[in-house]
């Protein structure tokens, strides 16, 4: 916890991390036909502490439906558009099988890969706002084909690959404040 607070403090002084990474949101014009839910929180509801930097810092359970039959892969992006220095990306999960319809708490399915987040780690980095209430977007992307990027791929490269391949998307937004 101390190390995490130090990292966040460093970010607020201007380096990459909790304060924002100015990552762009992929596929903003793609149709939003995928329905995304969670057993942990509802749309616009509070994200339980367990799934944040103040708790166990594990990804919440997610479920979705209405993925098009022609999808070649899925991707998951969790980001915070309210971060002080621009959108902060908390998690990028790439190349899930297109038949996947859910993720259990803390799950990274076999074969899926994680790109680097705005803090530089290839893992889930739970909500950790410096102040105020932030919106956390859990977005599922149906891709035309797998990205084939390696585990630990560069954030910008991963988001661009998602942007280039998105057929449709869906989103669940949760709130968290400290």
């Amino acid at each position: 916890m101390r190390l995490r607070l130090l990292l966040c403090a460093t970010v607020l002084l201007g380096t990459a991390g909790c304060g924002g990474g100015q990552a762009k949101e992929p596929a903003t014009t793609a149709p939003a036909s995928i329905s995304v839910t969670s057993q942990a929180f509802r749309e616009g509801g509070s994200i339980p502490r367990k799934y944040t930097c103040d708790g166990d810092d594990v990804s919440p359970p997610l479920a979705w439906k209405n993925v098009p039959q022609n999808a070649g892969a899925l991707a998951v992006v969790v980001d915070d558009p309210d971060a002080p220095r621009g959108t902060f990306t908390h998690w990028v999960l790439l190349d899930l099988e297109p038949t996947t319809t859910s993720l259990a708490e803390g799950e990274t399915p076999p074969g899926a890969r994680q790109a680097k987040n705005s803090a530089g780690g290839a893992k889930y980095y739970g909500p950790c706002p410096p102040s105020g209430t932030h919106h956390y977007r859990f977005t599922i992307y149906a891709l035309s084909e797998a990205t084939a990027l390696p585990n630990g791929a560069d954030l910008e490269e991963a988001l661009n690959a998602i942007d280039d391949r998105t057929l449709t998307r869906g989103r669940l937004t949760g709130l968290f404040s400290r």
Side-chain angles (χ1 to χ4, degrees), residues 7 25 43 64 69 79 89 118 134 138 142 145 158 160 166:
L7 174 62
E25 177 186 0
E43 173 64 32
W64 54 88
Q69 288 186 349
D79 63 10
T89 303
S118 292
H134 286 225
F138 293 76
E145 63 184 356
N160 285 337
T166 296

Side-chain angles (χ1 to χ4, degrees), residues 60-72:
L62 297 172
W64 54 88
K65 59 185 177 181
N66 302 329
V67 171
Q69 288 186 349
N70 63 336

Side-chain angles (χ1 to χ4, degrees), residues 11-160:
V11 166
L12 293 175
L13 293 175
T15 60
C18 304
Q22 305 229 340
K24 71 176 187 103
E25 177 186 0
T28 57
T29 60
S33 60
I34 298 173
S35 174
V36 184
T37 59
S38 177
Q39 295 174 353
F41 62 96
R42 61 179 172 70
E43 173 64 32
S46 295
I47 298 170
R49 181 182 176 102
K50 176 179 190 175
Y51 306 109
T52 73
C53 68
D54 293 334
D56 294 340
D57 207 14
V58 295
S59 59
L62 297 172
W64 54 88
K65 59 185 177 181
N66 302 329
V67 171
Q69 288 186 349
N70 63 336
L74 300 173
V76 179
V77 175
V78 179
D79 63 10
D80 171 9
D82 303 321
R85 291 181 37 229
T87 300
F88 183 91
T89 303
H90 287 261
W91 195 29
V92 179
L93 187 58
L94 300 167
D95 299 344
L96 286 81
E97 289 293 324
T99 55
T100 306
T101 58
S102 63
L103 290 176
E105 177 182 291
E107 179 185 21
T108 300
R113 289 176 299 287
Q114 299 179 86
K116 290 182 181 172
N117 56 36
S118 292
K123 63 179 189 165
Y124 175 81
Y125 187 92
C128 197
S131 63
T133 300
H134 286 225
H135 296 79
Y136 293 89
R137 306 181 297 198
F138 293 76
T139 308
I140 308 298
Y141 295 91
L143 308 179
S144 59
E145 63 184 356
T147 67
L149 291 172
N151 205 41
D154 174 75
L155 174 60
E156 186 175 343
E157 183 179 13
L159 295 179
N160 285 337

